[in-house]
Amino acid sequence: MTIYADLAVPLPLDGFFTYEVPEQLRPHIKVGQRVLVPFAGRVITAYVVVLKKEANLDAEVKTKRIQDILDTAPLFDAKHLKFLRWISTYYMAAPGEVFPLIHPPMLNLKSCRHLSLTKEGEQMLAEGNAGKAASLLNAVGTGVAVATLQKKIKQAGFYGFVGRLKRDGLIKEELKIKGGAKAKTERTVELAVDIETALGDLKRSPLQMKVAEFLAEHGKTTFKVLRDNFGSVDSAVKGLKEKGVAVVGEVAVERDPFAGLAARPSDFVPTQEQTVAIEKIFSGLGKGFAPYLLYGITGSGKTLVYLKVIEEVVKSGRHALVLVPEIALTGTLFSYLTGLFPGRVAVVHSSLSEGERYDQWQKIRSGQADIVIGARSALFAPLKNIGVIIVDEEHDPSYKQSESPRYNARDAALMLGKILGATVVLGSATPSLESFTNAREGRITPLRLSGRVGGGTLPEIELLDMRGIKDVISERLEHLMQEALDKKEQVILFLNRRGFSNFFICRDCGEVIRCTNCEVSLTRHKGDNLLKCHYCDMTMATPAACPSCKSGELASPGLGTEKVEEEVRRLFPEARVARLDRDTTRRKGSLMRILGDVEAGRIDVLIGTQMVSKGHHFPEVTLVGVISADTSLNMPDFRSAERTFQLISQASGRAGRGEKPARVVVQTLSPHNDCLKSAAGHDYEGFFEAELALRDELGYPPKKRLTAIRIEGPSEVAVLRFSKTLQRAARASEQQVRGEVMVLGPAPMLIARIKGRYRLQMLVKAGDAKLMNRFLRLLLSGLGKPPSGIGLVVDIDPLMTV
């Protein structure tokens, strides 16, 4: 009987593709496996979604055959398949953009064009008769990928030249499969005989005798351990092997991203409020989908609630998934969890090396991990039998994926929990309006923690009016910093903008140096002597003169964390200062080193972006300075007030976690703004009520659903032309949908050009998710395929709307 398979291919193509399963593969193929298939003249990895007896294709369509099966066991089961299909459907993403998220990218096998010399080519090269072709034939050598060769031979008409050499029989082309991963191994040594027999042969070889005695005591040992104890041991081990005393082998070793990170004890006694929250969550474990919102002031002990819940879940034989918005937050939770479950915790995030990512994935898939902790991509880890999903700092915009599939990990975690019948705990001191509304309306169970653990008090927040003040650090903040430093206390300064200055301007002609690819000014990074674009990564050396008028009067009046650091070092030359942002944490281990130095008291003043503002517990921090509250407050985004309230509340929450009283100074040009006054009063619920009323009046989430549809392309004229087509299709779809739908635009985006592509955006508001989904499907089906070079992006529940 012929069997067919519907496959998802890792390309941005809608729908699934039907292939025939060859007879020899039929007994082994299962839904959830990866397979190798021919596709558009090459060989790629695909994912088995459905097995069926009928192809359901037109008679004249000839199905291709699957070439091989890559996995002995499925990578996803029926429930996870349902989840992956939901991601694809809800977020309007092609299946091939969703399914590759379930494993590290290196496991995605595909073919590449590979060139090698023929015997005639080798002979011509050896005889020196290759002429103009000599450089290319030399570059081909023993074999090379076409893409690699093109980078080496930067020559006009490259593909025509390669084609002529193929026709002349001097080179040949074949498809080779590339990709895959290997476990890391280390060489090992162990004794082959008992130690008494061994020592009899080693009396004249002192180093060999020491190594043999060490092996007798410790058993099989890696070369690395032997070298750490005895220095160079290669010749000694070779001698032991030749005498038959030892045998050399290999053992797979895990590439540990947190090697050397000490486990932390978690033997804290829960407060009464924590106990109530823990018992409430316990009551729902194992009884189907149960969502909770754990919220309260900063420092109220949400982490301990997480730990107790995870401990209970793992004791019951199930597993736990913990999501955090920032990679910086994985280390602390990992330390606590490894203290409870040594060797049973895996970590997943984008900063891992390829090898580390593969090892962690294998650890999870093989069932060696009971707990997975990571950023949003951890949602797709192959963790089985999940009992609880925890989303820490659930309000954080980092949970939103900026590339397709544009999912929100918080919302996706709730859907995964619903499909799996698991408990889901959303945690935040400043919940998103969407989550708090769900809790208010009974869709999520609210659990409130109102007091700080250990009897600490919330810091006093002072709004400092900066109108007319040009200083980066006001006299008031400088004075408080000096007081804190004199008392040997720590200070955090927060500014959510990295670099030295966000623009570089000529004082004589007013020219601002801008990115050539984007409609933005370049950010100055003084330490590197560079100007950088934070959107396309264009970089140029800082010019000595204005490119326009050649004047040397160039200035950096903007503000960034690098400038704040320079000012702090000028004002407090004796202070130990560190900066925590993306620029200072690029090197592996730098993030954990900086945080460790702060925790150990080796840093007096820490300056940083939002990386410093959440989740960290620094008891000696008694002063937090928000350098500019207006950075996020004045963004043209309907969530700007919410983001500002959250950022200030979270940054303020780093102060006063010990026994000493603490203070927060918020520098602002808008001291009478209601959002800032609510943050200064630690009044989340007051802010929530006012903001919700404003959102309802303007028709924004959480009461309404929002989608952004973006058109982009290299030609401004072509983008404008297609925007008219989109507008007509939207009006037609609006008339077909029975319900409340409002279409705004298209209009130029706030940044009208990024990476050389012009951008227009249409906003769609709808009364509920079903209505929005129906409208979008009508719109896209009526719109048809965009012209060549034009991209169409559909972003459900976008973060930035302008």
Side-chain angles (χ1 to χ4, degrees):
M1 182 186 294
T2 305
I3 296 177
Y4 298 92
D6 284 347
L7 308 179
V9 298
L11 296 166
L13 301 171
D14 290 333
F16 301 101
F17 294 82
T18 301
Y19 282 75
E20 183 182 337
V21 182
E23 187 175 353
Q24 70 273 19
L25 298 181
R26 289 171 196 166
H28 311 290
I29 195 164
K30 299 179 183 71
V31 171
Q33 290 174 319
R34 292 174 306 140
V35 292
L36 275 180
V37 295
F39 191 91
R42 51 185 170 147
V43 177
I44 61 174
T45 299
Y47 306 84
V48 181
V49 176
V50 174
L51 292 173
K52 57 190 182 182
K53 297 176 184 178
E54 300 281 342
N56 299 323
L57 297 172
D58 295 337
E60 63 272 14
V61 176
K62 186 178 179 181
T63 55
K64 295 180 180 180
R65 287 186 156 203
I66 292 172
Q67 292 186 355
D68 202 358
I69 300 171
L70 298 178
D71 306 300
T72 55
L75 299 187
F76 51 83
D77 58 18
K79 289 185 176 181
H80 280 85
L81 173 58
K82 183 178 180 180
F83 172 65
L84 294 171
R85 296 186 80 155
W86 176 83
I87 290 276
S88 174
T89 302
Y90 182 78
Y91 289 104
M92 301 283 176
E97 295 174 310
V98 176
F99 282 77
L101 298 175
I102 66 174
H103 60 72
M106 68 176 73
L107 294 183
N108 208 346
L109 302 185
K110 58 184 177 181
S111 63
C112 68
R113 297 171 61 194
H114 195 269
L115 299 177
S116 58
L117 297 179
T118 62
K119 288 184 179 179
E120 291 80 1
E122 289 175 354
Q123 184 177 348
M124 181 178 284
L125 197 59
E127 293 172 353
N129 299 325
K132 292 181 178 180
S135 61
L136 192 142
L137 294 177
N138 272 312
V140 170
T142 56
V144 65
V146 172
T148 304
L149 182 65
Q150 187 184 20
K151 291 176 183 177
K152 287 183 180 179
I153 307 294
K154 296 178 180 177
Q155 177 178 322
F158 169 80
Y159 285 104
F161 195 19
V162 168
R164 286 197 299 274
L165 294 178
K166 283 164 62 180
R167 289 192 294 273
D168 293 342
L170 301 179
I171 60 176
K172 58 184 178 181
E173 180 180 319
E174 58 186 335
L175 289 179
K176 284 196 172 184
I177 302 296
K178 67 175 185 177
K182 292 182 179 179
K184 181 182 178 181
T185 59
E186 285 188 7
R187 294 170 67 207
T188 60
V189 189
E190 62 181 318
L191 289 180
V193 297
D194 61 79
I195 188 62
E196 288 78 13
T197 304
L199 293 178
D201 297 331
L202 304 177
K203 292 180 179 177
R204 296 184 180 180
S205 307
L207 182 56
Q208 291 181 15
M209 184 179 293
K210 288 180 181 178
V211 171
E213 289 172 340
F214 187 88
L215 294 175
E217 182 180 350
H218 297 91
K220 184 187 290 186
T221 305
T222 64
F223 270 69
K224 182 179 183 301
V225 172
L226 291 177
R227 290 188 188 108
D228 290 343
N229 284 274
F230 304 107
S232 178
V233 294
D234 292 59
S235 59
V237 171
K238 183 179 179 182
L240 292 173
K241 183 181 176 184
E242 290 173 349
K243 292 172 182 177
V245 172
V247 291
V248 175
E250 279 190 345
V251 64
V253 293
E254 180 185 333
R255 287 160 280 206
D256 185 358
F258 285 124
L261 187 66
R264 296 175 187 241
S266 57
D267 51 348
F268 307 106
V269 178
T271 64
Q272 185 176 352
E273 278 190 326
Q274 287 173 321
T275 301
V276 170
I278 291 165
E279 289 178 351
K280 182 66 176 176
I281 297 171
F282 278 7
S283 69
L285 293 175
K287 297 178 182 177
F289 176 52
Y292 299 92
L293 175 63
L294 181 67
Y295 74 103
I297 61 174
T298 54
S300 57
K302 290 179 286 294
T303 301
L304 182 59
V305 177
Y306 301 156
L307 295 175
K308 293 297 183 184
V309 171
I310 292 168
E311 195 171 10
E312 183 71 13
V313 166
V314 174
K315 281 180 182 177
S316 71
R318 303 188 76 184
H319 296 148
L321 174 62
V322 184
L323 301 184
V324 293
E326 294 276 355
I327 294 168
L329 300 179
T330 57
T332 302
L333 267 173
F334 186 87
S335 297
Y336 282 126
L337 290 169
T338 49
L340 290 170
F341 306 99
R344 304 294 299 177
V345 185
V347 63
V348 177
H349 58 68
S350 60
S351 287
L352 300 182
S353 68
E354 283 195 345
E356 288 171 342
R357 199 177 300 188
Y358 172 74
D359 286 354
Q360 295 296 302
W361 183 80
Q362 283 286 26
K363 182 177 181 178
I364 300 164
R365 192 181 174 216
S366 64
Q368 297 175 49
D370 297 317
I371 303 157
V372 172
I373 178 173
R376 58 179 180 263
S377 58
L379 196 63
F380 301 93
L383 189 65
K384 299 172 185 175
N385 196 21
I386 296 175
V388 67
I389 303 171
I390 292 170
V391 185
D392 190 28
E393 309 291 359
E394 64 82 26
H395 67 276
D396 199 286
S398 300
Y399 281 123
K400 176 71 172 177
Q401 172 86 355
S402 60
E403 298 173 350
S404 189
R406 292 174 172 80
Y407 64 93
N408 186 308
R410 175 200 63 213
D411 299 344
L414 285 165
M415 179 54 71
L416 180 60
K418 186 175 182 179
I419 291 170
L420 298 179
T423 294
V424 180
V425 180
L426 309 181
S428 175
T430 53
S432 64
L433 262 70
E434 289 80 2
S435 294
F436 203 70
T437 298
N438 283 332
R440 280 280 185 92
E441 296 178 355
R443 288 185 287 270
I444 298 178
T445 302
L447 302 170
R448 189 166 185 263
L449 302 176
S450 60
R452 277 197 155 182
V453 174
T457 57
L458 287 169
E460 180 185 337
I461 300 179
E462 176 183 341
L463 298 180
L464 190 63
D465 189 350
M466 294 292 286
R467 288 174 294 185
I469 300 174
K470 303 258 193 270
D471 299 329
V472 174
I473 296 173
S474 62
E475 287 186 9
R476 171 66 173 159
L477 180 55
E478 180 186 349
H479 172 71
L480 292 173
M481 287 178 68
Q482 187 64 65
E483 280 188 353
L485 294 174
D486 288 344
K487 296 175 185 176
K488 307 299 182 187
E489 296 167 353
Q490 291 175 305
V491 178
I492 289 179
L493 298 181
F494 168 73
L495 175 66
N496 207 22
R497 182 186 288 149
R498 63 191 175 97
F500 184 82
S501 169
N502 58 317
F503 64 101
F504 200 46
I505 189 170
C506 174
R507 292 184 188 276
D508 286 343
C509 72
E511 177 79 8
V512 175
I513 302 180
R514 307 182 73 83
C515 176
T516 56
N517 303 315
C518 311
E519 295 278 332
V520 294
S521 57
L522 293 176
T523 298
R524 186 184 181 195
H525 290 254
K526 188 176 180 182
D528 297 330
N529 195 32
L530 294 173
L531 301 181
K532 297 181 182 179
C533 175
H534 290 175
Y535 291 90
C536 73
D537 292 329
M538 173 199 162
T539 302
M540 64 179 287
T542 303
C546 172
S548 181
C549 71
K550 309 307 176 187
S551 165
E553 292 295 315
L554 296 170
S556 307
L559 193 57
T561 50
E562 194 179 351
K563 181 179 280 190
V564 177
E565 180 187 10
E566 182 178 271
E567 183 69 2
V568 170
R569 292 187 185 278
R570 184 186 70 81
L571 293 172
F572 308 102
E574 303 299 319
R576 297 167 297 176
V577 181
R579 177 162 51 92
L580 188 68
D581 56 29
R582 197 186 305 172
D583 297 323
T584 62
T585 55
R586 286 196 174 121
R587 288 189 177 180
K588 192 172 181 63
S590 57
L591 172 62
M592 299 309 298
R593 178 184 54 77
I594 294 170
L595 293 175
D597 286 347
V598 177
E599 194 167 355
R602 292 187 289 269
I603 300 295
D604 299 318
V605 182
L606 178 65
I607 301 142
T609 56
Q610 63 178 3
M611 295 173 74
V612 306
S613 69
K614 54 206 166 194
H616 307 300
H617 182 73
F618 302 135
E620 294 303 312
V621 172
T622 60
L623 176 64
V624 168
V626 178
I627 298 300
S628 174
D630 309 290
T631 305
S632 57
L633 186 61
N634 294 317
M635 291 293 289
D637 175 26
F638 76 93
R639 286 192 176 99
S640 61
E642 181 183 5
R643 295 277 180 258
T644 302
F645 180 91
Q646 289 164 344
L647 283 170
I648 291 175
S649 298
Q650 293 286 342
S652 302
R654 298 320 102 203
R657 287 174 168 253
E659 297 177 356
K660 302 171 185 175
R663 178 180 290 274
V664 177
V665 173
V666 178
Q667 298 186 161
T668 177
L669 299 172
S670 310
H672 303 298
N673 182 275
D674 290 339
C675 162
L676 298 184
K677 289 196 286 187
S678 293
H682 304 287
D683 183 14
Y684 171 79
E685 296 196 9
F687 169 77
F688 169 83
E689 296 292 354
E691 184 68 10
L692 187 64
L694 181 61
R695 298 267 189 95
D696 286 351
E697 183 181 341
L698 298 176
Y700 280 110
K703 293 295 184 183
K704 302 289 185 183
R705 306 311 293 258
L706 188 70
T707 294
I709 302 174
R710 188 169 74 241
I711 315 162
E712 56 181 40
S715 165
E716 186 175 15
V717 172
V719 168
L720 285 167
R721 187 183 301 122
F722 186 65
S723 74
K724 302 297 183 186
T725 305
L726 175 65
Q727 193 172 42
R728 287 193 295 270
R731 285 173 181 164
S733 301
E734 205 174 351
Q735 291 172 0
Q736 293 181 59
V737 173
R738 292 181 181 178
E740 187 182 350
V741 174
M742 179 184 291
V743 177
L744 304 173
M749 295 188 70
L750 175 64
I751 302 175
R753 185 168 60 100
I754 288 181
K755 297 181 180 178
R757 295 175 70 81
Y758 293 90
R759 314 185 317 149
L760 293 177
Q761 182 172 261
M762 171 185 283
L763 288 183
V764 182
K765 297 179 182 180
D768 57 53
K770 287 183 179 179
L771 187 62
M772 176 67 80
N773 195 279
R774 183 162 175 262
F775 172 83
L776 292 175
R777 295 202 175 279
L778 282 169
L779 172 63
L780 295 178
S781 63
L783 188 63
K785 188 177 179 181
S788 177
I790 299 296
L792 185 69
V793 174
V794 178
D795 192 357
I796 311 289
D797 302 327
L799 290 181
M800 289 295 294
T801 59
V802 179

